[in-house]
């Protein structure tokens, strides 16, 4: 049996948990013994053998489908059925076929994608030579060769590369959404092999490492070569999904393949998502089944009583079958009524729901206002089952880099010698907003300027041209004090490989203002100063790290003058200034506060002229410290402190981490809709213990908070913003409790939990607690790890949910998913996660709704998402327009659908008391068959596809319209109960008014018309007209399609009725035409039409009266807005773009450095550059640091480097 299932693609063996991976290079026989996964991936769900049985099995797990099969079986029993089996089998096959076709199409697409990836080619070292192999045939332990711009085949251990120091550059957009290039470096012992095929083929190193995991930023292992064991970390690993950039070639050893790669591990298991309405429908369907059984039980008991009391009088002309007694007849009657009343759960309900969801998905795909022109990317609904859930979102979890921001840094403002530059003012001295139409500074006079750089303040250019010594020293510092690596592809065409996007922006700014960093060697830095080539002797680089928060260079200019240039966090620089800079520091501080208020990332710049003799003395002592065996790091820090003091302040720079267009406005709109937004950013990790000061934002949360301010999540008018950055679990607990007590002093120690039990499942919901005012919460990943422990989870949840905005920074992909799961599990709310990289996939899959940002970033998040588009700003249209409309339409559809079907079924129920409980139908069989299939199908679909209470402009004008969806006000158990009562009332009118009107009634010619056929025709006509008028009352937005469907369906009803009741049909199908002539004999009577009119008025009068009274006495937000729409003479204009209010803040931004080591070692290395110019594709202007590491940087002089191996 197991082999048969395996052949069908079903894995029945439980995989042994891998504790350690052990393999040997170039030894497939040895490695295959461990049965590691090869490099083939499989995301498809079915194969040829399993598709039909597995798909049908999944479909029949839906209770309704199983019910209809059971109903079909009942209809095949002659003693029970009073309806043809065709009425059930046709719609059932239709539903199953549509779902089969949809699932087949989706899985074929997945198979094609899998085959496309698995059949990519890569060069593999086999039997001493490179051979082209398909990706899926690559095994663990193989050595593969990658070339520039190729995708990384599997998770590889970097062995060697074409670059100096065995460096390579990779783009990780598929993993984290960042387009900056990262740097990886091979071990020296493997890098020396270069591209020597013989040495690579003879390489037999053994690797022992961690088992497969989803940690993108963590790897531990060892490599044993020739008896020497070397440690391996994430610096040496290339992950599948990355792209090799600006590197001619590299060789790598396969560590993890296919499903074991970190990319696939992060993809996680596909989760079948269902909307809250689906869950409610399951509960209601079970209730309906119970209610149906209850009605059938009453009617079967009625049948037993009637048969016992009256049945004997009818045996003469209604003989019973042999052996039939009262009990058996009652039992058969029960099942007969199950068949007759089955339309309380009609299969057409599920067909209509699928059509409705598909239609609303197409509206999202076709929305031109969500189409991004620059990237040619339309919005896409990647699933058709979650549209209405978009109208109920309460919590949004968003990534930062690539989602809220463009991951592009721009030089925005600067303060030089007490004067602020970068602000644009008009002739009256008033600040002017910078737009695309604002005049830019012309840098055409500088042939080496970057054409992409833009600046708008002409005063700064004039200051440079006039030769201001302070301004020139400022830009000279930016051109010299950095670890940027340049590349000049052709004469004058410069590309910078920067440690961080911030640093690249600063060097580019200096380049455009006339101080062009041209090239470097380990001993020199060449710049072009105002057109004059100048070479500085590079004597020392005191590199940046997270402890120092600054970097310095010591250079000698052509005149022989020694100068130290320094840049870093303002608080760090200010502590080391000469007293003569005090007044300048005060003015600069004001400017820094202003820049921080605008959400900019700032750096302070300073310099110091050095004495030759003192420098030589310092160098000797530094050499002693750098060669010390004990406390080397501490001694080096002390040496740095000695020389980095008594600095002279030059000014400060401010760069902008550019937000995507419309992000602040979108967040503001969503906040007005009472949607809470949590930012979960996974920037580079930081050792929290390195944050010596807890004041201000000199800890890892600073960048995240600035983003919060710039995008309107955090505001100055908030009562308080809590920052949780503790080092222990108890400290985290204490900070969360203190924050909660400040927000709500009455808050108890135990969370307010509402427990419930439904269908045997226990659930608990943490209720919202009242808070006076608005608060924000910022927490880092280190503290979040403690807060997510089981005994602290609810405490974190309570505190976070009291805040209007929450920012979690430095979090891992797993922590992102855990935060989402925490809210999803313990709050009665719908969640949405939005991101753009593989590190967001787990979060996207965990949330009720997953949204992927597509475009220049990676596509991994998009492939795992439910909806995708190119820009974060489209989220407001997705939720406030499409989501709200979809939810409103779905709820209107369900209320109306249940109303029309319960009304139809209840009429059957009342009629049973007048037909001896014989299971005779009150309607014609053709009417029963076509009622849900034709007569009422298209009008309700038209309503559900096109209806809108107000248009999209008014939806944006009043985001509060979104709130009813969050509270389930449109469709709930209570709304269903009201619909049930409404149906009961309508059915009483629809049955008893025609019954009373037809009782002892004659035609105008004196003939009797009180027969069963005439009564059935009158009742079904009244029913259809009442249902149609009710649909008209429920429609807010009429279109030509609605009109066509409504009037067309009524016309079809009368055409079919007159045709089926005609003499011609009787002559063709005599036994199946008991209603011959009924239509023309009944519908030509005035009293029949009067009865139809009276029935319609009595059915709808309470509805109209109730709506009138509620609009007058208790109007909803929808009623109020519609009233304003009627009063308005025109569509409202879009809200004006609010110019950001200038904010002065002492919370200064994350200084414009990445929180990691720089390239100091590489800059001072004699091997980091080649002299010949190589022809390569252009480098990205902004790039990332090689690896996050918070340990202090070891300083080495040029001369010491020459002695290193």
């Amino acid at each position: 049996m197991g082999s048969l299932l395996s052949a069908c693609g079903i894995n029945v063996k439980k995989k042994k948990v891998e504790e350690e991976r052990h393999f040997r290079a170039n030894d497939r026989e040895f490695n295959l013994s461990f049965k590691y996964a090869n490099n083939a991936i499989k995301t498809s769900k079915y194969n040829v053998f399993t598709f039909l049985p597995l798909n049908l099995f999944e479909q029949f797990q839906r209770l309704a489908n199983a019910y209809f099969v059971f109903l079909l079986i009942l209809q095949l029993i002659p003693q029970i059925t009073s309806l043809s089996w065709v009425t059930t089998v046709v719609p059932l096959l239709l539903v199953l076929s549509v779902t089969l076709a949809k699932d087949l199409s989706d899985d074929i697409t997945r198979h094609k994608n899998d085959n496309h990836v698995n059949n990519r080619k890569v060069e593999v070292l086999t039997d001493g030579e490179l051979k082209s192999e398909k990706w899926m045939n690559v095994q663990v332990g193989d050595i593969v060769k990658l070339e520039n711009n190729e995708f990384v085949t599997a998770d590889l251990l970097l062995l060697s590369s074409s670059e100096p120091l065995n460096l390579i550059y990779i783009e990780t957009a598929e993993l984290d959404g960042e387009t900056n290039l990262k740097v990886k470096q091979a071990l020296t012992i493997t890098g020396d092999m270069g591209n020597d095929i013989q040495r690579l083929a003879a390489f037999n190193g053994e690797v022992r490492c961690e088992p497969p995991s989803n940690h993108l930023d963590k790897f531990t292992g060892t490599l044993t070569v020739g008896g020497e064991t070397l440690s391996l970390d994430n610096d040496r690993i290339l992950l599948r999904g990355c792209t090799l950039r600006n590197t001619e070639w590299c060789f790598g050893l396969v560590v993890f393949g296919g499903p074991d790669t970190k990319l696939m591990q992060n993809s996680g298991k596909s989760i079948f998502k269902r909307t809250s309405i689906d869950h409610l429908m399951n509960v209601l369907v079970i209730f309906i089944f119970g209610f149906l059984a209850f009605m059938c039980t009453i009617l079967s008991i009625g049948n037993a009583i009637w048969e016992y009391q009256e049945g004997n009088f009818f045996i003469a002309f209604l003989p019973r079958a042999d052996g039939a007694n009262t009990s058996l007849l009652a039992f058969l009657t029960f099942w007969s009524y199950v068949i007759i009343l089955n339309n309380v759960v009609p299969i057409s309900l599920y067909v209509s729901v699928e059509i409705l969801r598909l239609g609303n998905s197409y509206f999202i795909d076709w929305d031109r206002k969500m189409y991004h022109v620059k990237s040619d990317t339309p919005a896409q609904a990647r699933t058709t089952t979650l549209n209405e859930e978009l109208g109920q979102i309460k919590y949004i979890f968003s990534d930062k880099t690539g989602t809220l921001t463009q991951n592009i840094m721009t030089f925005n403002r600067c303060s030089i010698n007490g004067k602020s530059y970068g602000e644009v003012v008009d002739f009256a001295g008033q600040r002017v907003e910078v737009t695309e139409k604002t005049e830019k500074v012309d840098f055409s006079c500088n042939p080496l300027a970057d054409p992409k750089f833009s600046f708008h303040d002409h005063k700064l250019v004039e200051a440079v041209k006039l030769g201001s010594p302070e301004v020139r020293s400022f830009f000279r510092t930016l051109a010299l004090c950095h670890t940027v690596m340049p590349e000049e592809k052709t004469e004058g065409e410069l590309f910078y490989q920067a440690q961080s996007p911030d640093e690249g922006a600063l060097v580019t700014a200096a380049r455009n203002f006339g101080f062009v960093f041209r090239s470097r060697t380990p001993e020199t830095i060449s710049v072009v100063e105002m057109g004059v080539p100048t070479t500085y002797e590079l004597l020392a680089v005191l590199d940046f790290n997270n402890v120092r928060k600054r970097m310095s260079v010591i250079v000698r200019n052509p005149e022989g003058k020694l100068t130290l240039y320094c840049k870093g966090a303002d608080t760090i620089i200010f502590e080391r200034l000469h007293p003569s800079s005090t007044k300048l520091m005060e003015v600069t501080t004001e400017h820094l506060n202003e820049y921080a208020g605008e959400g900019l990332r700032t750096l302070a710049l300073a310099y110091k002229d050095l004495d030759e003799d003192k420098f030589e003395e310092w160098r000797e002592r530094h050499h002693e410290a750098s060669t010390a065996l004990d406390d080397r790091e501490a001694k080096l820090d002390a040496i740095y402190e000695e020389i980095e003091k008594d600095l002279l302040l030059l000014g400060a720079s401010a760069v902008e981490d550019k937000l995507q267009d419309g992000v602040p406005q979108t967040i503001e709109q969503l906040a007005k809709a009472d949607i809470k937004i949590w930012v979960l950013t996974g920037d580079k990790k930081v050792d929290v213990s390195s944050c010596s000061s807890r004041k201000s934002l000199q800890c890892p949360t600073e960048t995240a908070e600035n983003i919060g301010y710039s995008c309107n999540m955090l505001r100055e008018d908030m009562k308080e913003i809590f920052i949780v950055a503790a080092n222990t679990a108890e400290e985290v607990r204490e900070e969360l409790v203190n924050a909660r007590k400040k927000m709500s002093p009455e808050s108890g120690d135990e969370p307010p939990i509402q427990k419930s039990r439904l269908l045997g499942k226990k659930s608990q919901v943490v209720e919202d607690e009242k808070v006076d005012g608005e608060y924000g919460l910022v927490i880092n990943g280190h503290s979040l790890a403690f807060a997510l422990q089981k005994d602290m989870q609810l405490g974190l949840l309570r505190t976070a949910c009291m805040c209007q905005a929450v920012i979690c920074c430095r979090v891992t992909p797993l922590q992102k998913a855990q935060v989402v799961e925490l809210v999803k599990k313990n709050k009665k709310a719908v969640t949405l996660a939005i991101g753009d990289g593989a590190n967001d996939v787990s979060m996207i899959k965990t949330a009720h709704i997953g949204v992927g940002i597509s475009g220049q970033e990676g596509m991994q998040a998009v492939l795992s998402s439910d909806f995708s588009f190119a820009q974060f700003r489209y989220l407001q249209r997705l939720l406030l327009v499409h989501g709200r409309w979809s939810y409103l339409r779905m709820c209107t559809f369900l209320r109306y659908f249940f109303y029309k079907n319960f009304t139809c079924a209840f009429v059957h129920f009342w009629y049973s008391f007048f037909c001896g409980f014989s299971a005779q139908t009150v309607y014609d069989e053709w009417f029963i068959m076509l009622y849900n299939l034709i007569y009422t199908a298209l009008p309700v679909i038209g309503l559900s596809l096109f209806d809108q209470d107000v248009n999209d402009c008014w939806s944006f004008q009043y985001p509060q319209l979104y709130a009813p969806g969050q509270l389930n006000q449109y469709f709930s158990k209570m709304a269903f109960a009201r619909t049930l009562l409404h149906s009961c009332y309508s059915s009483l009118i629809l049955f008893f008014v025609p019954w009373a009107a037809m009782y002892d009634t004659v035609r105008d010619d004196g003939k009797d018309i009180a027969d069963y056929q005439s009564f059935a025709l009158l009742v079904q006509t009244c029913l259809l007209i009442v249902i149609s008028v009710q649909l008209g009352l429920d429609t807010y937005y009429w279109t030509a399609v609605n009109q066509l469907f409504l009037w067309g369906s009524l016309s079809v009803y009368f055409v079919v009725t007159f045709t089926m009741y005609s003499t011609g049909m009787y002559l063709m199908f005599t036994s199946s035409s008991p209603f011959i002539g009924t239509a023309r004999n009944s519908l030509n009577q005035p009293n029949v039409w009067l009865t139809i009119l009276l029935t319609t008025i009595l059915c709808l009068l309470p509805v109209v009266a109730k709506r009138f009274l509620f609009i007058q006495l208790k109007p909803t937000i929808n009623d109020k807005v519609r009233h304003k729409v009627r009063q308005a003479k025109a569509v409202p204009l879009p809200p004006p773009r609010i110019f950001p209010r200038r904010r002065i803040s002492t919370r200064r931004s994350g200084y414009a450095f990445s929180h990691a080591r720089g390239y100091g070692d590489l800059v001072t290395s004699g091997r980091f550059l080649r002299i010949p110019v190589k022809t390569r594709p252009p480098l990205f202007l902004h790039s990332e640091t090689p690896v996050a590491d918070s340990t202090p940087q070891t300083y080495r002089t040029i001369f010491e480097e020459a002695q290193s191996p």
Side-chain angles (χ1 to χ4, degrees), residues 433 664-665 668-669 672 712 1134-1142:
E433 181 185 4
Q665 295 83 353
E668 185 178 358
Q669 283 286 89
K672 289 179 180 177
N712 284 350
R1137 185 175 178 181
I1138 302 173
F1139 185 64
R1141 185 178 58 187
R1142 182 175 296 188

Side-chain angles (χ1 to χ4, degrees), residues 82-115:
S82 54
L83 288 175
S84 172
W85 56 270
V86 178
T87 58
T88 298
V89 74
V90 172
L92 178 62
L93 288 177
L94 178 63
V95 171
L96 296 178
S97 301
V98 168
T99 307
L100 277 168
K102 176 177 172 294
D103 291 345
L104 178 62
S105 174
D106 291 344
D107 210 57
I108 287 175
T109 303
R110 286 191 286 266
H111 272 285
K112 288 181 178 178
N113 292 336
D114 290 347
N115 291 334

Side-chain angles (χ1 to χ4, degrees), residues 429-494:
Q430 297 296 317
R431 187 184 182 196
V432 177
E433 181 185 4
V434 176
T435 64
E436 292 183 359
K437 298 180 180 179
T438 306
E439 183 184 2
K440 298 179 181 179
V441 173
D442 183 12
F443 294 106
S444 59
C445 60
N446 180 0
L448 295 176
D450 183 353
K452 296 179 181 179
F453 180 84
S454 63
F455 200 75
H456 301 87
D457 189 355
H458 296 265
K459 297 193 299 295
L460 184 56
V461 178
E462 295 301 321
V464 174
K465 290 180 178 178
L466 292 174
S468 168
E470 294 84 3
V471 174
R472 291 196 171 189
S473 294
F474 179 89
F475 285 112
R476 186 178 293 114
T477 303
L478 294 182
L480 296 173
C481 185
H482 56 77
T483 55
V484 170
M485 296 181 180
E487 181 178 21
E488 191 164 357
K489 183 179 175 183
T490 58
E491 181 67 26
E493 190 176 354
L494 282 169

Side-chain angles (χ1 to χ4, degrees), residues 501-536:
D502 317 65
E503 193 162 50
L506 295 174
V507 177
T508 302
R511 168 184 174 181
N512 278 62
F513 283 102
F515 290 77
V516 184
F517 168 54
R518 193 71 178 267
S519 64
R520 76 186 326 147
T521 68
E523 296 84 15
T524 63
I525 297 178
S526 298
V527 297
V528 178
E529 296 185 354
M530 304 304 295
V532 180
T534 306
T535 300
Y536 289 84

Side-chain angles (χ1 to χ4, degrees), residues 983-1037:
S983 298
C984 185
Y985 167 79
S986 297
S987 66
L988 286 169
I989 299 296
L990 284 167
F991 178 78
F992 285 102
V993 171
W995 175 79
M998 294 288 286
Y999 190 75
D1000 290 337
T1001 302
V1002 295
R1003 289 159 44 93
D1004 52 6
D1005 59 3
K1007 294 181 180 179
D1008 185 20
I1009 62 169
D1011 56 89
Y1012 161 72
Q1013 287 83 355
S1014 299
F1015 176 72
L1017 176 64
L1018 177 58
V1019 171
Q1020 65 193 36
T1021 304
C1022 288
L1023 172 66
L1024 194 60
I1025 291 177
V1026 167
I1027 292 299
S1028 299
V1029 177
Q1030 179 67 51
L1031 180 122
L1033 291 176
D1034 289 338
T1035 302
Y1036 294 119
Y1037 183 71

Side-chain angles (χ1 to χ4, degrees), residues 225-241:
V225 183
E228 183 180 359
T229 300
L230 305 167
S231 65
L232 301 176
D233 56 22
N234 210 46
D235 283 3
R236 323 296 178 192
I237 301 299
L238 310 183
L239 300 183
R240 178 175 180 144

Side-chain angles (χ1 to χ4, degrees), residues 23 682 884 995 1140:
F23 62 92
R884 198 179 68 82
W995 175 79

Side-chain angles (χ1 to χ4, degrees), residues 44-220:
S44 57
K45 192 174 181 180
Y46 311 104
N47 61 32
V48 175
F49 301 102
T50 62
F51 173 69
L52 192 60
L54 192 57
N55 189 272
L56 288 176
F57 175 75
E58 291 174 349
Q59 289 201 59
F60 284 120
Q61 284 185 316
R62 296 179 69 174
L63 191 58
N65 287 346
Y67 165 71
F68 291 122
V69 171
F70 174 69
L71 198 66
L72 177 62
I73 295 172
L74 290 180
Q75 287 181 301
L76 296 175
I77 303 174
Q79 291 81 0
I80 293 176
T81 185
S82 54
L83 288 175
S84 172
W85 56 270
V86 178
T87 58
T88 298
V89 74
V90 172
L92 178 62
L93 288 177
L94 178 63
V95 171
L96 296 178
S97 301
V98 168
T99 307
L100 277 168
K102 176 177 172 294
D103 291 345
L104 178 62
S105 174
D106 291 344
D107 210 57
I108 287 175
T109 303
R110 286 191 286 266
H111 272 285
K112 288 181 178 178
N113 292 336
D114 290 347
N115 291 334
H116 173 72
V117 173
N118 290 332
N119 289 315
R120 286 175 179 166
K121 295 297 183 70
V122 67
E123 288 188 288
V124 180
L125 186 59
T126 307
D127 299 329
E129 59 182 25
L130 288 173
K131 296 181 181 178
S132 180
E133 281 277 9
K134 294 180 179 179
W135 276 27
M136 62 182 178
N137 296 329
V138 174
Q139 300 284 346
V140 171
D142 288 352
I143 294 179
V144 300
K145 180 184 180 182
L146 301 178
E147 295 184 347
N148 192 33
N149 296 325
E150 285 187 350
F151 289 106
V152 177
T153 311
D155 287 356
L156 307 177
L157 169 64
L158 179 61
L159 296 179
S160 62
S161 80
S162 59
E163 301 305 291
L165 288 183
N166 300 308
L167 295 174
I168 67 162
Y169 302 104
I170 58 172
E171 181 184 287
T172 60
E174 287 285 345
L175 297 176
D176 54 19
E178 296 185 6
T179 54
N180 302 319
L181 300 188
K182 311 288 193 306
V183 177
K184 299 288 184 178
Q185 187 175 26
L187 293 169
T188 304
I189 194 169
T190 61
D192 290 342
M193 293 188 292
N195 59 350
D196 188 334
I197 300 300
Q198 291 183 350
R199 293 183 65 186
L200 287 166
F203 179 67
N204 62 350
E206 285 195 24
V207 175
R208 293 181 180 270
C209 65
E210 63 182 23
S213 72
N214 62 353
H215 299 298
L216 294 173
D217 54 357
K218 187 184 296 182
F219 180 85
T220 57

